[in-house]
Amino acid sequence: MTPLRAGILAAVVTVILDQASKLWLLNGFDLARRGVVKVTPFFDLVLAWNIGISFGWLQNDGQAAQIALMAVKAVAVVALAIWMARSHTLLATIALGLIIGGAIGNGIDRLAYGAVVDFALFHIDIGGNTYNWYVFNLADVAIVAGVAGLLYDSFLGVPAAKAP
């Protein structure tokens, strides 16, 4: 399999898994009705609608803001796709595919619901205080894994991946 095919496969699998998990949690499991579902002492399923960008920054549910976010996301996906098509290392190409798939998955949410569906919450209790991580989804996991893969490939891979 060529690196480009592997990257495209990574993007497609990411979109499918992300959307399937969200559809099941929203419609099959009915997470909205169930509220907080404790899975482990440190992990809960919760429903959060993120109208902003990463980590809930730039929260704005206005139509102009949503269109602007979608436009930025579309330009980013095109730029990443060009980079992926030019990439020669398997790791960098798969990493770019993960980022593209995650961006598309969250973009589908924004088009379908006007917000990104987040549901995973890690937390820890220390000395009676609860510390929560940001609520996230599988698309976010793919984006973070893709960025980590690009960083690894850039610093330690031979030849290093270079952005166009």
Side-chain angles (χ1 to χ4, degrees):
M1 178 179 291
T2 65
L4 182 57
R5 285 186 186 202
I8 292 169
L9 181 62
V12 170
V13 168
T14 297
V15 171
I16 290 169
L17 291 176
D18 174 65
Q19 289 300 298
S21 66
K22 292 170 182 175
L23 287 171
W24 180 75
L25 285 166
L26 288 173
N27 301 315
F29 190 68
D30 197 10
L31 187 57
R33 182 186 55 78
R34 291 178 187 249
V36 176
V37 177
K38 297 210 173 285
V39 178
T40 70
F42 57 86
F43 178 71
D44 299 339
L45 292 174
V46 300
L47 180 59
W49 296 97
N50 183 357
I51 57 173
I53 60 171
S54 299
F55 309 114
W57 296 340
L58 301 177
Q59 294 287 318
N60 188 331
D61 60 355
Q63 186 175 7
Q66 293 301 314
I67 290 170
L69 285 174
M70 286 302 296
V72 168
K73 187 172 297 239
V75 169
V77 166
V78 168
L80 290 169
I82 292 168
W83 184 5
M84 184 173 75
R86 293 179 179 175
S87 176
H88 299 291
T89 66
L90 183 62
L91 178 58
T93 308
I94 291 172
L96 288 162
L98 290 171
I99 296 167
I100 290 167
I104 290 171
N106 283 341
I108 290 170
D109 289 3
R110 198 167 296 286
L111 285 173
Y113 311 113
V116 174
V117 179
D118 288 328
F119 58 83
L121 173 63
F122 283 100
H123 55 84
I124 188 168
D125 293 320
I126 300 175
N129 294 317
T130 301
Y131 299 94
N132 295 317
W133 186 246
Y134 298 98
V135 182
F136 60 96
N137 59 44
L138 292 182
D140 300 332
V141 172
I143 292 168
V144 170
V147 169
L150 283 178
L151 289 171
Y152 179 86
D153 193 64
S154 293
F155 291 117
L156 302 174
V158 178
K162 302 290 186 231

